[in-house]
Amino acid sequence: MGYKIVIALGGNALGSSPEEQRAAVKKTAKSLVKLVASGNKIIVGHGNGPQVGMINLAMETGHKVNSSIPLMPFPECGAMSQGYIGYHLQNAIRHEFKEIGRDVPVVTVITQVLVDKNDEAFKNPTKPIGSFYTEEEAKKIAEETGYDFKEDAGRGYRRVVASPMPVDIIEKESLRDLYAARNVIIACGGGGIPVVEEDGEYIGVAAVIDKDFSCEKMAEVMDADVLVILTAVDKVAINFGKPNEEWLDEMGIEDCEKYIDEGHFAPGSMLPKVKAAMSFVKSKEGRKALITSLECADDAIAGKNGTWIK
Ligand code: ADP
Ligand code: MG
């Protein structure tokens, strides 16, 4: 036994302030190392919503109170968040390996993910980022910068960016070499830094790629056996949160399609996970996906928990 696994870590695996994140990551590292100890090989991706939000807000605030601090573009904030989260993860994972008497190299790769500049998502930016503004402030910034703003649930105006689909992982050769050299790799943090190709150059764009979709792309380019999406629930449910809620052990592609049509998966949370799982399963014969929690990961890989998509 033993799979080659790409793992997508959700927000609950990380926390946001440095102290909170350090504590959360310690627990996360224990679960990840357990997966390796039971014979699997892992490549780790993760989200960055709260972290990139914090960095972006800090840089905006810094610029406001001291103009010598430059305004930090959003792709750069994403790169900072990959470094910040990757540092904690690689530190904690290496430590957990030491605890079980193994010396495994662990490395974070700052990852750029190619997106299509003609992706329809760019016509309708929906992902809110950064601080809240009044309508007048938002209008003024929009005129100065060309940013898009939208009203956010009665709380004020926020900048919105597009959420395009990942096309390719720019650093894939490096990831494959590092994997072949037995590294545990942390990559595609926050869904990766979105870049578009222009005259043979990669240019960062202010956008957010869903980390579940980027991890799916990474699982394809790394030729993984299983895409494991770790989140806050042990299994996927139909009629989630209702009296007739039903937790699922397994879904076929047709089941997924039917449940999506029936509206069982919330957009922005469970829906992208199920869609990512489906894409991976459909991408090549024999590929499987698993949606479960960090706590259940080891049991679920052994077929004793979680929702398998086959
Ligand atoms: P992550 O940070 O891991 O991406 P999300 O909050 O985006 O986490 O998505 C996971 C959440 O999706 C679960 O905690 C759960 O509250 C919610 N959810 C929505 N629909 C379902 C469903 N059908 N079955 C299980 N969980 C669901
Ligand atoms: Mg999510």
Side-chain angles (χ1 to χ4, degrees), residues 46 48 51-52 55 76-90 108-113 186-194:
H46 60 83
N48 74 343
Q51 295 83 358
V52 76
I55 292 166
E76 276 76 354
C77 292
M80 289 179 184
S81 79
Q82 287 188 350
Y84 162 56
I85 299 167
Y87 155 54
H88 276 181
L89 276 172
Q90 73 191 32
T108 299
V109 176
I110 301 298
T111 318
Q112 305 176 86
V113 174
I186 299 144
C188 277
I193 303 156

Side-chain angles (χ1 to χ4, degrees), residues 120-187:
E120 285 292 312
F122 285 111
K123 291 184 189 148
N124 180 29
T126 52
K127 275 256 178 207
I129 57 167
S131 354
F132 289 91
Y133 296 96
T134 65
E135 191 174 355
E136 300 82 74
E137 288 171 329
K139 273 203 181 122
K140 185 161 171 278
I141 302 171
E143 273 162 25
E144 286 166 10
T145 59
Y147 292 174
D148 295 299
F149 283 87
K150 269 192 189 144
E151 215 275 326
D152 191 333
R155 296 177 294 177
Y157 282 74
R158 279 178 97 186
R159 183 180 176 197
V160 285
V161 297
S163 189
M165 289 301 282
V167 174
D168 200 8
I169 313 285
I170 305 297
E171 285 75 20
K172 64 184 174 212
E173 281 90 2
S174 308
L175 298 182
R176 289 176 187 143
D177 287 350
L178 286 165
Y179 181 84
R182 299 175 46 258
N183 286 268
V184 165
I185 306 162
I186 299 144

Side-chain angles (χ1 to χ4, degrees), residues 229-306:
I229 300 178
L230 297 183
T231 185
V233 286
D234 298 344
K235 293 184 184 186
V236 179
I238 49 172
N239 301 307
F240 178 67
K242 294 182 189 155
N244 58 341
E245 176 179 76
E246 194 185 324
W247 299 98
L248 306 171
D249 296 329
E250 201 177 312
M251 293 192 280
I253 294 297
E254 271 140 49
D255 302 321
C256 294
E257 279 162 358
K258 177 166 162 271
Y259 297 148
I260 288 174
D261 285 345
E262 291 172 359
H264 289 285
F265 311 130
S269 61
M270 191 48 76
L271 185 60
K273 298 183 201 313
V274 173
K275 284 189 169 168
M278 290 169 73
S279 299
F280 185 64
V281 169
K282 288 200 270 188
S283 65
K284 193 173 161 187
E285 186 76 38
R287 286 180 174 168
K288 296 182 283 188
L290 171 65
I291 301 174
T292 189
S293 63
L294 205 50
E295 294 75 20
C296 295
D298 198 46
D299 270 353
I301 271 292
K304 290 183 272 183
N305 209 329

